[in-house]
Amino acid sequence: MFGVNKATIIVLVMMLCILLLSNISNAATFPAGDDKGWGFNMNGWPNGKTFNTGDVIEFKYKVDMHNVVKVSKGEYDSCKTSGGQVYNSGDDKIPLEKGTSYFICTIGPHCSEGVKTAITAN
């Protein structure tokens, strides 16, 4: 195997595992809405925060009051959705993907009343 012994391969695999684990462990958790939680007047909540791919947004809310739906930009802008992934546990932890992620509440007129947020991860 081109002069590479088993010990060298094992060390390289272990180093790769450590590198991958260190990237995962660097992920931060952000409570949506900070101490107010997921609710009305979310506009501007992400301002001043830096989000990275893999960071987790934690949506805390009363189950009978709100939900969280991951939607497209068009659905976010119009507050109308034809699908999207629905979260409704009251304590939803959603990892961010690279780019902008859009989240709305689909209960009643909540989205149009400000229960929505757009978050961009590097």
Side-chain angles (χ1 to χ4, degrees):
M1 205 181 195
F2 305 110
V4 178
N5 63 29
K6 287 182 181 180
T8 302
I9 293 172
I10 291 171
V11 168
L12 289 174
V13 169
M14 289 175 61
M15 289 174 61
L16 180 61
C17 289
I18 291 169
L19 179 64
L20 290 172
L21 288 173
S22 69
N23 284 340
I24 291 169
S25 66
N26 287 335
T29 298
F30 294 88
D34 294 323
D35 59 344
K36 296 177 196 168
W38 177 239
F40 297 98
N41 300 315
M42 291 294 296
N43 189 21
W45 167 74
N47 296 347
K49 295 175 176 56
T50 301
F51 301 98
N52 295 301
T53 301
D55 284 351
V56 174
I57 306 302
E58 183 173 16
F59 294 87
K60 288 189 169 196
Y61 54 92
K62 286 186 168 186
V63 174
D64 57 343
M65 190 88 166
H66 297 296
N67 65 10
V68 179
V69 182
K70 187 172 182 184
V71 296
S72 69
K73 181 175 183 352
E75 292 168 320
Y76 174 84
D77 290 339
S78 69
C79 286
K80 294 182 178 148
T81 181
S82 59
Q85 186 166 354
V86 178
Y87 300 88
N88 54 15
S89 74
D91 188 10
D92 306 310
K93 296 172 182 76
I94 304 172
L96 293 174
E97 299 171 1
K98 186 172 180 69
T100 304
S101 297
Y102 302 92
F103 303 97
I104 67 173
C105 176
T106 60
I107 295 178
H110 289 187
C111 178
S112 61
E113 293 174 351
V115 187
K116 65 182 192 174
T117 192
I119 303 167
T120 302
N122 300 317

